[in-house]
Amino acid sequence: MAAARRGRGDGANGVVRPRPRDRGVGGGGSMAGRVAVLAFCVAGIWSAYIYQGVLQETLSTKRFGPEARRFEHLAFLNFAQNVICFVWSFIMIKLWSGGSSSDGRAPLWKYWGVSVTNTIGPTMGIEALKYISYPAQVLAKSSKMIPVMLMGTLLYGVKYTLPEYFCTFLVAGGVSSFALLKTSSKTIKKLANPNAPLGYTLCFLNLAFDGYTNSTQDLIKSRYPKTNPWDIMLGMNLWGTIYNAVIMFVVPLLFSNWPYANGFEALRFCQENPEVAWDIFLFCLCGAVGQNFIFLTISRFGSLTNTTVTTTRKFMSIVVSSVISGNPLSLKQWGSVVMVFLGLSIQIYLKWKRKKGRDHKE
């Protein structure tokens, strides 16, 4: 959904992160002030995205109404997210960039191509929740470094250090062992169509599409340096709204047996079950608000700090899902989770170390 997201944590909706204003952590101001701002950012990111995860899991597993029906139209969440984030970014642009010139900023038509993959990728990620549990989905989507390193090595001849390969081994090993370990019967019963191979395949395809989306967003940003994150969020979600509207509302009118998510049926379900509509609205609002905190974190403290915050958020999302949402993990599964986040933590440490070395040379 959608968050360039490469190596920068949360952020759905195809949003390129703003560059930090300076090298110093938190910029100017007193140390107490910087710590307070960082704590505010951490609290905002954690609360927005952890609660969004709870809502996502609720919508994908809960049965609603007197007939105890599932909300089968999970792809509709991406359409709703596109609409809310389009409106949100439009408001932010008017509030913060109302009088600024559009010269040097990417025109809206530039986003039509990259928005295709940004529509397909997140849809695959959320559809995976029909087949695997939320903790499994979070863990699989945390392994973004694996396809990045594979593509870098095979296609571009990039050479990585031994510690980087060790990090990848930990992440790949953790995700693989988690997938192979037996899932509790309580968790399986909550899934619409338990199918681990299909669920993990959708997650990894999501990462592959994200990789292309991230690269293209970076290219747009480099060609139009005055483009700000809200501009990109607006462009990506405008086209995402158009594509999803065609898929969910136009195509079903043309093909009566359309097998994909039907927007009319999703709206009818929401009308019959108002709590679903409310949960979807809160889900989308969490994504938009969380984006604000990500922008603030990166502008004040840099993308590396944001990566640290969002990585710990993913771990806490798994903890919350296990404790609150009733997805018990075995001791071996917790070992796999720790293995993945140990690899991610070492990767973050290596990045901090390289950044410190560059800053020292400068």
Side-chain angles (χ1 to χ4, degrees), residues 4 65 117 136 167 174 186 260 267 290 292 312 318-319 343:
T117 55
C167 293
K186 184 178 179 181
Y260 191 63
L267 290 175
N292 276 2
T312 53
I318 293 177
V319 173

Side-chain angles (χ1 to χ4, degrees), residues 18-34:
R19 292 183 180 180
R21 290 182 300 204
D22 49 57
R23 291 197 313 265
V25 174
S30 65
M31 176 60 71
R34 294 198 297 271

Side-chain angles (χ1 to χ4, degrees), residues 215-227:
S215 301
T216 308
Q217 288 173 337
D218 287 343
L219 185 61
I220 292 174
K221 179 65 177 175
S222 64
R223 289 181 177 177
Y224 300 92
K226 291 187 178 180
T227 300

Side-chain angles (χ1 to χ4, degrees), residues 1 13 73-86 119 122-123 126 237-249 260-261 263 266-267 280 283-284:
M1 250 168 252
N13 315 305
H73 317 284
L74 294 183
F76 183 78
L77 295 179
N78 285 325
F79 170 71
Q81 182 93 308
N82 285 144
V83 174
I84 294 295
C85 287
F86 171 74
T119 299
T123 298
I126 202 165
N237 285 287
L238 169 63
W239 287 101
T241 299
I242 294 172
Y243 293 151
N244 276 310
V246 170
I247 292 170
M248 294 187 176
F249 294 98
Y260 191 63
L267 290 175
I280 291 175
F283 170 85
C284 299

Side-chain angles (χ1 to χ4, degrees), residues 6 19 29 34 46 79 92 114 120 126 136 153 162 234 344:
R6 182 176 57 234
R19 292 183 180 180
R34 294 198 297 271
W46 277 34
F79 170 71
M92 291 296 104
V114 66
I120 298 173
I126 202 165
T153 302
L162 188 60
L234 181 76
L344 295 176

Side-chain angles (χ1 to χ4, degrees), residues 101-334:
S101 171
S102 60
D103 293 342
R105 291 153 68 178
L108 290 176
W109 66 267
K110 279 289 183 180
Y111 303 102
W112 76 267
V114 66
S115 295
V116 173
T117 55
N118 193 58
T119 299
I120 298 173
T123 298
M124 289 182 168
I126 202 165
E127 284 286 325
L129 289 173
K130 293 181 180 179
Y131 311 107
I132 57 176
S133 67
Y134 179 72
Q137 184 224 39
V138 172
L139 212 59
K141 292 177 70 175
S142 297
S143 59
K144 190 177 293 187
M145 67 167 71
I146 298 175
V148 169
M149 290 184 69
L150 280 175
M151 296 292 282
T153 302
L154 297 177
L155 299 182
Y156 304 110
V158 178
K159 294 184 178 180
Y160 297 94
T161 63
L162 188 60
E164 286 174 323
Y165 281 116
F166 178 66
C167 293
T168 305
F169 170 77
L170 286 176
V171 173
V175 173
S176 300
S177 60
F178 188 95
L180 293 173
L181 290 169
K182 184 178 179 181
T183 304
S184 72
S185 58
K186 184 178 179 181
T187 299
I188 292 177
K189 287 179 181 178
K190 293 170 65 177
L191 300 177
N193 301 293
N195 188 331
L198 178 56
Y200 282 106
T201 298
L202 288 172
C203 285
F204 292 130
L205 285 173
N206 179 191
L207 293 180
F209 279 109
D210 277 356
Y212 173 80
T213 300
N214 297 340
S215 301
T216 308
Q217 288 173 337
D218 287 343
L219 185 61
I220 292 174
K221 179 65 177 175
S222 64
R223 289 181 177 177
Y224 300 92
K226 291 187 178 180
T227 300
N228 64 49
W230 297 120
D231 294 326
I232 298 178
M233 189 173 182
L234 181 76
M236 297 293 289
N237 285 287
L238 169 63
W239 287 101
T241 299
I242 294 172
Y243 293 151
N244 276 310
V246 170
I247 292 170
M248 294 187 176
F249 294 98
V250 177
V251 176
L253 294 176
L254 302 176
F255 304 94
S256 58
N257 294 323
W258 177 242
Y260 191 63
N262 188 308
F264 297 106
E265 292 181 3
L267 290 175
R268 191 178 303 114
F269 192 98
C270 291
Q271 187 177 14
E272 295 171 356
N273 302 275
E275 64 175 305
V276 174
W278 180 244
D279 283 348
I280 291 175
F281 174 73
L282 290 178
F283 170 85
C284 299
L285 192 62
C286 283
V289 172
Q291 201 67 65
N292 276 2
F293 286 103
I294 283 179
F295 291 164
L296 179 60
T297 303
I298 295 175
S299 65
R300 294 294 185 92
F301 305 98
S303 60
L304 198 51
T305 299
N306 179 67
T307 300
T308 306
V309 174
T310 53
T311 298
T312 53
R313 190 282 303 171
K314 291 176 183 177
F315 182 81
M316 289 306 301
S317 289
I318 293 177
V319 173
V320 169
S321 176
S322 177
V323 175
I324 296 179
S325 301
N327 286 317
L329 301 182
S330 66
L331 190 60
K332 290 181 179 179
Q333 285 179 315
W334 275 117

Side-chain angles (χ1 to χ4, degrees), residues 57-75:
E57 187 169 5
T58 299
L59 289 165
S60 65
T61 60
K62 186 178 177 180
R63 295 180 180 272
F64 300 92
E67 298 178 2
R69 291 188 299 154
R70 292 181 183 272
F71 181 68
E72 299 285 354
H73 317 284
L74 294 183

